[in-house]
């Protein structure tokens, strides 16, 4: 707030006393200087809540805003983030979509791919075990099991049990009945990740 604007808020007697070189005039100059940093923030306040514009230190806070607390869960507030900031920005940007599809295979796969930067997660539902899901982790994401486990536990339906399986893919040469191996493409999550269109009416 400029000094002139502050001065206009004062009673007429104070305005007359706030001339150049006066004590009140110096006080108004100090008030203007104190307001300047806050006004600079308010002038660009929308950037604080934009996933790809907010400062790095604010990204984890926004991640909690979109109900992805499990991704940044840490025993200490000063603990390093478990994911690169770019992936956290992607999660925030897709927070509404993830909330809409929570509890579905598409929602879980999307959350896992955004968080790990790896595609190729497979969700199996064994016929002999109703209400049970097996999450098969691609080898490229096997070193991120802690984050994967937290995401799976948060994204699965409450009535469903889950099993997370990680390891190298089966060797087709060892099993003649096996089909061709599927490649796992790693995604560099540096912002604005591409998320595939969900399959309509997919059931968990």
């Amino acid at each position: 707030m400029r000094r002139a604007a502050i001065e206009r808020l004062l009673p007429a007697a104070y305005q007359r006393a706030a001339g150049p070189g006066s004590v009140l005039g110096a006080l108004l100059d100090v008030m203007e200087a104190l307001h300047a940093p806050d006004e600079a923030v308010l002038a660009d306040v929308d950037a604080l809540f934009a996933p790809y514009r907010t400062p790095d230190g604010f990204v984890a806070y926004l991640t909690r805003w979109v109900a992805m607390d499990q991704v940044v869960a840490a025993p200490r507030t000063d603990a390093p983030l478990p994911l690169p900031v770019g992936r956290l920005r992607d999660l925030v940007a897709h927070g509404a979509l993830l909330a809409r599809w929570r509890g579905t295979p598409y929602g879980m796969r999307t959350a896992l791919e955004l968080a790990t930067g790896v595609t190729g997660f497979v969700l199996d539902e064994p016929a002999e075990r109703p209400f049970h899901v097996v999450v098969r982790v691609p080898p490229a994401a096997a070193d991120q099991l802690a984050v994967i486990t937290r995401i799976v536990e948060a994204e699965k339906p409450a009535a469903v049990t889950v099993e997370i399986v990680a390891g190298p893919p089966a060797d087709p040469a060892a099993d003649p009945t096996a089909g061709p191996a599927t490649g796992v493409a790693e995604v560099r999550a540096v912002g604005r990740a591409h998320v595939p269109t969900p399959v309509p009416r997919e059931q968990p």
Side-chain angles (χ1 to χ4, degrees):
M1 195 171 187
R2 299 295 183 182
R3 170 191 166 151
I6 301 174
E7 186 175 330
R8 287 195 296 270
L9 299 176
L10 300 175
Y14 284 87
Q15 293 184 33
R16 290 193 294 271
S22 66
V23 174
L24 183 55
L27 180 60
L28 293 179
D29 290 336
V30 172
M31 291 178 68
E32 178 181 340
L34 290 175
H35 287 162
D38 295 335
E39 290 183 342
V41 172
L42 292 174
D44 199 28
V45 69
D46 59 311
L48 290 176
F49 309 103
Y52 298 111
R53 295 169 57 203
T54 192
D56 287 351
F58 206 63
V59 177
Y61 184 73
L62 292 184
T63 306
R64 295 184 175 94
W65 265 32
V66 296
M68 294 299 291
D69 308 58
Q70 66 276 7
V71 176
V72 293
R76 304 190 321 272
T77 56
D78 61 341
L81 293 175
L83 299 177
V85 174
R87 292 185 196 157
L88 291 180
R89 292 182 187 275
D90 292 336
L91 285 169
V92 173
H94 296 92
L97 180 141
L98 293 175
R100 177 185 176 192
W101 289 92
R102 178 158 291 170
T104 68
Y106 170 78
M108 184 182 293
R109 278 194 302 268
T110 301
L112 290 172
E113 291 175 1
L114 288 171
T116 63
V118 177
T119 60
F121 288 87
V122 177
L123 275 63
D124 291 333
E125 302 177 61
E128 69 279 5
R129 294 190 64 181
F131 302 105
H132 182 76
V133 173
V134 178
V135 179
R136 302 193 183 279
V137 179
D143 60 339
Q144 304 183 60
L145 286 181
V147 172
I148 291 170
T149 300
R150 291 200 299 268
I151 293 174
V152 169
E153 289 293 336
E155 295 293 324
K156 73 177 184 66
V160 173
T161 58
V162 69
E163 177 183 356
I164 299 174
V165 179
D171 184 2
D175 183 4
T177 63
T182 57
V184 177
E186 184 171 352
V187 177
R188 297 181 60 194
V190 295
R192 306 184 189 280
H194 171 72
V195 174
T197 303
V199 178
R201 308 178 72 173
E202 186 173 13
Q203 298 298 321

